[in-house]
Amino acid sequence: ISPELLIKHPLQNSWTLWFYKNDKQKQWEENQREISTFDTVEDFWALYNHIEAASRLQSGCDYSLFKAGIKPMWEDTKNKSGGRWLINLTRQQCINDLDSYWLETLLCLVGEAFDEQSDDICGTVVQIRTKGDKLAVWTGDLRNNDGILKIGMKYKERLGLPNKVCVMGYQAHADSMVICGSMPAQNRFTV
Amino acid sequence: GKKAYDRSFLVQFQWEPPCV
């Protein structure tokens, strides 16, 4: 094999994959398990091929992919001033599109698809729930209005979500933290 | 510069893990 083929392609950032499994005997944070960190295109695929597809996870489980050093929780210093673009998948989308949307989201992140806005990206979370799966891209600074909107538009375009039918909302983590019961946090931005 | 990769570039490195 030529040495050229042995050189892996470095990513701009190191990324950590996390797995959350809801075990009521344990604290929320203990249920978040760090799986692996990678920083090349080849290692991304090696990990992706090694794990269960999102659609095959049990209800109550999450996968998260965050830049190395950022924990997949609101309280992390890199997250606490930010929020998330959230997609509540319809039943039909959960059945047909979950795995392709999740892979597309991962490719957007590791490939730095959001141009100069990529620095504001913290990570992504896919949540498997009986009521409907959720997919989110987390960003770090709520004040970065233009950047958040550009990320939202680009993300929606990459997933191929129809513009008029599907409205995607951006929620501040600070709002989500103080919400009681099942009321969703108010959208700060929509695309 | 930033190491940004478009979709088609990333996808070409997708491979199936060998059976061990």
Side-chain angles (χ1 to χ4, degrees), chain A residues 9-12 41-42 45-46 49 104 107 111-112 115 118-119 158, chain B residues 1-17:
Chain A
H9 295 80
L11 298 171
Q12 179 68 28
V41 177
E42 288 78 359
W45 285 117
N49 287 327
E104 198 60 37
L107 294 176
E112 308 286 328
D115 303 322
S118 288
D119 292 342
R158 283 285 295 256
Chain B
K2 192 178 275 271
K3 295 180 201 75
Y5 300 122
D6 64 24
R7 190 183 201 289
S8 56
F9 182 86
L10 292 168
V11 165
Q12 68 177 316
F13 295 100
Q14 189 169 20
W15 55 280
E16 291 298 322

Side-chain angles (χ1 to χ4, degrees), chain A residues 125-166:
Chain A
V125 183
V126 61
Q127 298 179 292
I128 310 304
R129 301 291 182 269
T130 41
K131 278 194 255 176
D133 306 332
K134 293 166 191 269
L135 191 53
V137 168
W138 291 29
T139 74
D141 190 351
L142 201 58
R143 295 166 304 179
N144 183 10
N145 300 14
D146 283 356
I148 289 170
L149 283 168
K150 281 180 187 164
I151 288 169
M153 285 187 281
K154 180 80 183 180
Y155 184 42
K156 198 170 172 182
E157 178 198 315
R158 283 285 295 256
L159 293 188
L161 297 175
N163 249 336
K164 286 175 186 161
V165 187
C166 173

Side-chain angles (χ1 to χ4, degrees), chain A residues 18-191:
Chain A
W18 298 74
F19 176 64
Y20 173 85
K21 190 172 182 185
N22 188 12
D23 178 347
K24 294 200 171 84
Q25 309 293 318
K26 292 180 184 165
Q27 298 289 319
W28 185 86
E29 200 166 338
E30 285 179 273
N31 287 329
Q32 276 288 4
R33 297 287 175 84
E34 206 173 319
I35 299 183
S36 186
T37 298
F38 58 86
D39 60 6
T40 67
V41 177
E42 288 78 359
D43 289 349
F44 160 69
W45 285 117
L47 179 60
Y48 179 80
N49 287 327
H50 189 73
I51 59 172
E52 204 64 90
S55 61
R56 296 186 63 181
L57 295 181
Q58 284 176 16
S59 179
C61 292
D62 305 345
Y63 276 139
S64 304
L65 186 82
F66 276 74
K67 285 177 180 167
I70 307 179
K71 287 185 176 174
M73 51 189 71
W74 299 330
E75 297 83 354
D76 191 284
T77 48
K78 290 283 174 65
N79 292 325
K80 67 180 183 187
S81 307
R84 59 175 180 174
W85 280 111
L86 178 66
I87 302 168
N88 291 295
L89 298 178
T90 63
R91 189 162 294 274
Q92 207 53 44
Q93 286 173 319
C94 294
I95 296 165
N96 295 336
D97 304 317
L98 176 68
D99 289 329
S100 60
Y101 284 177
W102 171 236
L103 176 58
E104 198 60 37
T105 308
L106 297 176
L107 294 176
C108 284
L109 267 60
V110 302
E112 308 286 328
F114 302 106
D115 303 322
E116 62 268 37
Q117 271 69 49
S118 288
D119 292 342
D120 200 30
I121 296 284
C122 295
T124 173
V125 183
V126 61
Q127 298 179 292
I128 310 304
R129 301 291 182 269
T130 41
K131 278 194 255 176
D133 306 332
K134 293 166 191 269
L135 191 53
V137 168
W138 291 29
T139 74
D141 190 351
L142 201 58
R143 295 166 304 179
N144 183 10
N145 300 14
D146 283 356
I148 289 170
L149 283 168
K150 281 180 187 164
I151 288 169
M153 285 187 281
K154 180 80 183 180
Y155 184 42
K156 198 170 172 182
E157 178 198 315
R158 283 285 295 256
L159 293 188
L161 297 175
N163 249 336
K164 286 175 186 161
V165 187
C166 173
V167 174
M168 205 168 77
Y170 184 94
Q171 303 166 358
H173 296 319
D175 295 342
S176 304
M177 277 186 226
V178 296
I179 289 296
C180 296
S182 57
M183 272 279 290
Q186 194 188 336
N187 288 330
R188 297 289 190 104
F189 309 98
T190 53
V191 289

